Structure formats: C-alpha cells, structure tokens
C-alpha cells in the first residue's frame, strides 16, 4: 500500500535523481530520491518503534525551513500519522494552546526556538497531553531532548508503509494565517494533496523543473505550492532556511532554477538586493506570485529588467494553494488578475444574500471541489461555519470576474471599508501608491471617522534615501483615483508588520492606529 509513501514510490521510479538541496545547511545537503527515502525510512522506523507513533497520531515541528520538515511530513505519510508544523512566530503561550489542542507525542525543534520549547515543556510536563519525545535538530537541545542525528543513526532504513491508510485520512494540520485570533488547524487529507498536485501540474509544472522554495514550511505555500508536486514528479527542489533576497538571487543563477514562487513583498525585496542589477534570472520559466495582490508596476519591472514573466497564483490553506492561475502569456494583457480557476475547482461569486452575481460585479468568492480540506481540527463549529447549506466554502475574499472569466481579487472582506456609503477596496489604492517612485511598501486601512464612518489611512514605507510628504502622496493618489477613495491621511513607518508568509498584517495596523486615534496618541514613527 503506497498511499502516503510518496518517497517510497519515488525511490522505485527515479532512485538516482537529485531530489533535494538543503541550501540552508552548512555544508549544503544534497540527496537523491534513494538517499532521501532511506533517511525518511529511518525516521519513520524510529517514530514507530521508539515513540509509538501510529496512524492518526500527531508529530509536531517548530523549526525554520529545512529538510527535517519534509522528513517529518514524508515519515508521517509512511505511518499514516499527522504532520503538525507550527508557526514559529507565535508566542509560546499561543503554541501551548495549539499543543493542548492537537496533543502531539513528538516535537522536533530547532535551536532558535529552544526557549519557547523550554517554556512549553515546563507548562505541560505533568499534564496528560505532555509531549513524550523532544528532538532537537541542532545545538545542545534541552535536558532530556534527543539529537536528530541520533534518531536517524539508530534506526534501520527498512521500508515502512501504513497498510490501512486511505486517501481520506489526514496527512497534516496547517494552521491558518494567524491574522485573526488563534489559528485554526485545517485538516489536510491525502486526497486533498493529490487534487492540489493535479491542479498545480496541469498549470504547467514539468518533468525536470527545478524549484526554489522560500515559503515557510508550516504554511500551505511551503508544503504544497510546488514541493509536494515536485516530489510526485521526481524533480529537484531547493530549500533555504529563510528568505534572504541576495542568496535567493544567487541560488536561482547557480542552480538554474526554473520555477520560483513568492509573495509580493518578497518580489519587492528582491529588486532592492545589491545583486539585483547583475543577477542572471534567465533560467526561470516563470515566477509565481500569490498570497496577496501583486502590484502591477512590479510585474512590469521584472519583465523590463529581467525578462521574467509572472504567473499569478491564488490559493488558501483550506483549499490548497493551486486554486487559480494566470498564465504568463496573460501577465500583461490581464495584469492584476489571478487568472481562471484551475481545472478541479468550482467557483461562484455571490452577493450578501448568497446569490451568484454577474461579470464585473463585486462579490464573495465561494468554492467547491475535491481539494477542500476536511474542516478544522477539534473545531466542529468553525468547520460547519465555513460552509453554506449547499456546501460552498466561503473564502471571505471579494472578487470580480470579467467577460472572459478572468478573476480579480478586490480585497479581503474584512479589509474592505465603507466611507460615506461607498465600498472601498484598499488594494486598488495600494496599486496606485506603488506607482510612486518613493514608495517601497504600503498598506491602506480604514479608520473610524465621525463624518464618513470610515476613511482610508495609507501606511507607507519609503525607499531608502527617498523623500515624500503626506500632501505629495495624497495629491498623487488624487491624480489616479476617484476622490472618495483617496485616503485622508498618510503615515510614514519604518516597516510594516508582516506575517510568517510575508503578508502585511493589516489587523495589527488597524489595532495600532484605531487605538491611537481613540487614545489621541501620535501616529508617526518618523
Ligand atoms: P492563507 O490561507 O494563509 O494561504 O491565505 C489565503 C488568503 O490569501 C486568500 O483567502 C486571499 O485573501 C489571499 N490571497 C492568496 N493569493 C492571493 C492573490 N494572488 N491575490 C490576492 N490575495 C490572495
């Protein structure tokens, strides 16, 4: 039985092919499919024999990106266990809450998060859901924790598979965004992985592609945008410990990377790296941008300066990252669009009464299809609330589609604000601000206003050395937008708060400015 044993299959088909380069290790680690499968067999054998991991058990990891995330994911697949990666940005108390909710038996951790693990360990050591085995990936670890190398060395590499595993069973838990309260654990089944791979491959992943992953591996972007598909195709993937623009450009050039994916903030940061002017990106068939709207001026900059074409992608934890795609051929003609729904996803755009709307009318995007997750772990209420009576999943994204069935994300439902009775979609304003030569990053939020209900506030990070005043930016926006959409104020910040994926945390900006406004505090950080 091979469902779940992805690497076991790959060792049969392409044992000698280069599977993975972990460029975050020193020295770099390069493994063929045979070597990797044997390594993961060792881990699975250890988990089974020493930690008693069986079908349905959770195996957790708190670590920056590295091969161990994937080792754990694939070892869990072999055992029918549930890989449970945590967002390392969370506070240890938040992590503790997730651990109490998911009760993993094993926790892998990297040295950078030792303190958090130590707090968690102290808090749960005498509780029924105490973690039984702590495994440190490097460094000295904590009292009683076992070195990862020892785990691998002490176990046989004999094949391990779970005979009774079915496609509907859960492969991993991925915690959503974290931008709205305590993250919920979306249950990702092997069925969901399979359909997401199909959606991704149909949209142009080929045999021989080389993919560089910079997304966090605790997020759907990391595990499923391309990595799972790359393994299923027997291709090579490259890991880095974290997103470092200079290194990313070097690796694309050195390893002749053909497929790269990032969120807009990353693409912006790459253009500011010292080696951007000289970087050779000619091996790239395309770059995929997803996670948030990609400013059109950035698409144009990549085309003009590097000849790199963009594919837009749209996805989400609960339905997989491969939901919509805009082919590179359309990147300019349909700039700003996320493209059309991928092959195995059904979509509708609905109004507040859940009635489908026509072309060019804004509405909420709702989804149906086989790449849907199986609800949220231990949270039947939230699982039920996400679906309407007809089984459509409500995304909370406001979109529209044009006459050719190309979709445009207008905004998140909760990011949209209403000013003087008019719906305002911050993304539209941000796209304009990005055209201003001094603007490096920006985010527009709605803040309370006694006259209009809400008005826009633009939070702007200027490019190093660049200058611009509030009046100047407001005048610039007035030159491009209907006046009711133009933010009433601009605040200059040193940086914007970002999530683990690199998305701007508007919730934090809103909390900051709404509080300050109510408390009458200063709004500027200089
Ligand atoms: P997550 O579950 O963390 O991957 O977040 C999913 C959400 O990210 C979606 O519901 C959208 O709001 C947003 N998103 C993903 N891709 C795009 C995109 N290409 N353009 C705009 N928003 C996006």
């Amino acid at each position: 039985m091979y469902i779940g044993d992805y690497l076991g299959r790959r060792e049969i088909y392409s044992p000698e092919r280069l599977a993975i380069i972990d460029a975050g290790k020193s020295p770099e680690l390069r493994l063929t499919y045979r070597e990797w499968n044997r390594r993961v067999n060792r881990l699975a054998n250890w988990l089974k024999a020493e930690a008693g991991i069986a079908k349905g058990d959770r195996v957790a990891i708190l670590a920056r990106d590295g091969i161990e995330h994937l080792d754990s994911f694939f070892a869990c697949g072999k055992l029918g266990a549930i890989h449970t990666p945590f967002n390392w940005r969370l506070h240890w108390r938040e992590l503790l809450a997730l651990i109490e909710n998911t009760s993993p038996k094993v926790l892998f951790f990297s040295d950078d998060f030792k303190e958090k693990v130590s707090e968690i360990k102290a808090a749960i050591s005498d509780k029924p859901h105490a973690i039984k085995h702590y495994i440190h990936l490097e460094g000295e670890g904590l009292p009683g924790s076992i070195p990862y190398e020892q785990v691998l060395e002490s176990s046989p590499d004999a094949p391990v598979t779970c005979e009774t595993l079915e496609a509907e069973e859960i492969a991993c838990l991925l915690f959503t965004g974290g931008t709205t309260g305590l993250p919920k654990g979306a249950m990702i089944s092997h069925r969901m992985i399979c359909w997401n791979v199909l959606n991704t491959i149909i949209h142009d992943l080929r045999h021989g592609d080389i993919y560089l992953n910079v997304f966090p591996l605790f997020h759907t972007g990391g595990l499923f945008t391309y990595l799972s598909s790359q393994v299923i195709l027997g291709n090579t993937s490259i890991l880095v410990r974290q997103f470092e623009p200079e290194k990313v450009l070097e690796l694309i050039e050195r390893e002749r990377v053909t497929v790269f994916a990032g969120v807009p903030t990353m693409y912006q940061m790459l253009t500011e790296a010292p080696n951007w002017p000289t970087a050779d990106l000619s091996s790239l068939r395309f770059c995929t941008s997803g996670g948030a709207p990609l400013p059109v001026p950035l698409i144009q900059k990549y085309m003009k300066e590097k000849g790199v074409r963009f594919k837009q992608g749209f996805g989400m934890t609960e339905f997989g990252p491969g939901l919509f795609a805009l082919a590179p051929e359309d990147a300019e003609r349909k700039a700003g669009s996320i493209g059309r729904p991928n092959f195995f996803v059904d979509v509708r755009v609905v109004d507040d009464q859940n009635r489908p709307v026509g072309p060019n009318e804004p509405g909420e995007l709702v989804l149906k299809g086989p790449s849907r997750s199986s609800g949220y772990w231990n949270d039947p209420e939230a699982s039920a609330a996400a679906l309407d009576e007809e089984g459509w999943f409500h995304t909370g994204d406001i979109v529209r589609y044009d006459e050719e069935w190309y979709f445009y994300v207008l905004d998140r439902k909760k990011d949209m604000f209403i000013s003087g009775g008019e719906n305002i979609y911050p993304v539209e304003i941000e796209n304009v601000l990005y055209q201003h030569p001094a603007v490096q990053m920006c985010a527009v939020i709605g803040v309370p206003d006694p006259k209009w209900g809400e008005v826009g506030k633009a939070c702007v990070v200027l490019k190093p050395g660049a200058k611009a005043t509030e009046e100047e930016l407001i005048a610039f926006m007035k030159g491009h937008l209907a006046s009711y959409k133009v933010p009433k104020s601009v605040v200059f910040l040193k940086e914007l708060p970002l999530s683990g994926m690199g998305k701007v945390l508007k919730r934090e900006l809103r909390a900051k400015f709404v509080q300050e406004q109510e408390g009458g505090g200063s709004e500027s950080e200089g």
Side-chain angles (χ1 to χ4, degrees):
M1 181 55 169
Y2 276 98
I3 284 181
D5 187 7
Y6 302 85
L7 289 178
R9 268 288 155 110
R10 263 295 142 210
E11 183 181 347
I12 296 171
Y13 301 144
S14 58
E16 304 303 340
R17 229 181 269 160
L18 182 62
I20 198 95
I21 304 171
D22 188 342
K25 294 260 181 301
S26 169
E28 273 179 16
L29 180 70
R30 289 175 175 251
L31 297 174
T32 62
Y33 276 100
R34 174 184 287 123
E35 291 164 336
W36 197 12
N37 186 42
R38 300 291 167 93
R39 169 185 168 104
V40 173
N41 281 343
R42 289 178 190 281
L43 177 60
N45 277 311
W46 187 91
L47 288 169
K48 187 175 173 181
E50 305 299 326
I53 295 294
K55 193 159 97 173
D57 286 339
R58 275 76 61 210
V59 174
I61 180 164
L62 182 68
R64 286 188 197 274
D65 281 10
I67 191 161
E68 299 84 359
H69 267 269
L70 300 179
D71 290 348
S72 167
F73 174 70
F74 289 119
C76 283
K78 287 171 184 282
L79 295 166
I82 303 177
H83 171 66
T84 306
F86 292 128
N87 178 349
W88 41 259
R89 294 195 177 221
L90 296 179
H91 189 276
W92 72 264
R93 288 185 196 280
E94 294 172 298
L95 289 166
L96 179 64
L98 297 185
I99 285 173
E100 285 172 344
N101 185 24
T102 55
S103 55
K105 286 187 177 166
V106 173
L107 175 67
F108 300 103
F109 65 96
S110 60
D111 216 36
D112 347 21
F113 310 118
K114 204 161 88 171
E115 272 71 51
K116 292 189 187 191
V117 175
S118 178
E119 299 280 8
I120 292 167
K121 200 171 173 211
I124 57 169
S125 59
D126 55 352
K127 301 265 168 63
H129 49 260
I131 294 168
K132 302 281 180 310
H133 302 272
Y134 290 85
I135 297 165
H136 56 274
L137 303 182
E138 70 261 302
E140 297 297 309
L142 292 169
S145 70
I146 310 165
Y148 194 69
E149 284 309 314
Q150 186 183 316
V151 164
L152 294 184
E153 280 160 17
S154 66
S155 301
D157 66 4
V160 193
T161 54
C162 177
E163 303 281 325
T164 57
L165 193 68
E166 299 289 341
E168 216 40 60
E169 273 163 298
I170 306 307
C172 71
L173 300 180
L174 292 182
F175 295 88
T176 56
T179 50
T180 50
L182 197 66
K184 300 188 286 281
M187 298 192 279
I188 314 296
S189 66
H190 291 279
R191 180 253 309 144
M192 172 173 177
I193 293 173
C194 161
W195 288 98
N196 180 65
V197 166
L198 265 179
N199 273 332
T200 307
I201 289 177
I202 294 168
H203 248 284
D204 207 19
L205 202 58
R206 300 182 190 160
H207 281 286
D209 267 329
I210 300 172
Y211 167 60
L212 169 60
N213 179 70
V214 295
F215 291 137
L217 289 169
F218 58 73
H219 190 273
T220 188
L223 270 181
F224 298 123
T225 295
Y226 290 114
L227 272 174
S228 51
S229 306
Q230 282 287 88
V231 168
I232 289 169
L233 281 179
N235 288 343
T236 307
S237 301
I238 305 167
L239 304 178
V240 289
R241 202 166 163 81
Q242 59 196 6
F243 177 73
E244 289 168 83
E246 204 170 342
K247 183 161 181 178
V248 164
L249 293 173
E250 265 167 40
L251 280 169
I252 293 175
E253 187 168 328
R254 192 186 86 195
E255 299 296 336
R256 305 296 297 157
V257 168
T258 62
V259 173
F260 178 73
V263 294
T265 38
M266 293 174 181
Y267 286 113
Q268 179 69 37
M269 285 157 90
L270 287 176
T271 66
E272 286 147 25
N275 51 347
W276 168 260
T278 54
D280 173 5
L281 306 183
S282 59
S283 57
L284 288 171
R285 289 202 294 117
F286 56 80
C287 280
T288 292
S289 174
L294 181 68
V296 175
L298 209 52
I299 302 179
Q300 289 161 345
K301 186 174 170 74
Y302 273 73
M303 288 275 264
K304 193 163 130 246
E305 295 180 21
K306 297 290 168 190
V308 169
R309 299 192 307 167
F310 266 102
K311 202 163 90 68
Q312 276 283 324
F314 175 97
M316 61 194 312
T317 307
E318 292 92 333
F319 246 91
L323 285 177
F324 282 74
L326 180 74
E329 304 81 86
D330 286 329
E332 276 202 305
R333 188 171 76 92
K334 295 285 181 184
S337 167
I338 54 168
R340 291 166 161 155
N342 281 343
F343 210 97
F344 296 107
V345 55
D346 251 344
V347 308
R348 264 188 193 173
V349 181
V350 297
D351 65 15
D352 287 346
Q353 269 81 51
N354 219 4
R355 289 176 308 217
V357 299
N360 292 318
E361 285 182 55
E364 185 179 5
L365 176 70
V366 301
L367 305 168
K368 250 190 203 182
S371 71
R372 180 162 68 78
S373 55
S374 314
Y376 301 107
W377 180 263
N378 242 342
D379 198 343
E381 269 175 34
S383 307
L387 300 178
D388 66 22
E389 287 127 37
E390 289 178 60
W392 291 93
F393 177 86
H394 283 244
T395 63
D397 289 306
I398 305 288
V399 304
R400 69 172 175 88
Y401 59 95
D402 66 15
E403 289 76 9
E404 295 178 284
W405 212 44
Y406 284 79
F407 284 67
Y408 297 78
V409 176
L410 301 175
D411 232 313
R412 294 286 298 159
K413 211 169 172 177
K414 60 178 187 299
D415 288 341
M416 187 199 81
F417 60 93
I418 301 175
S419 192
E422 298 277 5
N423 288 359
I424 302 202
Y425 303 105
V427 169
E428 201 186 352
I429 305 164
E430 289 156 15
N431 267 333
V432 167
L433 274 173
Y434 274 116
Q435 291 172 37
H436 191 282
V439 172
Q440 178 165 321
M441 279 180 79
C442 65
V444 173
I445 54 169
V447 292
D449 179 83
K451 181 166 176 201
W452 302 106
E454 279 180 301
V455 293
K457 178 185 262 314
C459 307
V460 172
V461 179
L462 292 176
K463 288 184 183 158
K467 288 202 166 50
T469 61
E470 179 173 25
E471 295 71 37
E472 194 180 329
L473 290 184
I474 289 180
F476 181 79
M477 289 186 276
K478 282 192 173 150
H480 291 77
L481 292 164
S483 57
Y484 74 90
K485 296 180 185 171
V486 174
K488 296 284 175 283
S489 62
V490 176
V491 60
F492 295 99
L493 302 174
K494 289 198 194 77
E495 57 187 17
L496 296 179
L498 298 179
S499 74
M501 266 298 273
K503 293 192 213 180
V504 177
L505 293 169
K506 290 197 174 173
R507 187 180 54 128
E508 285 192 11
L509 286 174
R510 269 194 297 265
K512 176 179 165 65
F513 290 115
V514 173
Q515 263 167 26
E516 276 181 4
Q517 199 164 316
E518 281 161 3
S522 156
E523 291 186 355
S524 175
E525 283 190 10

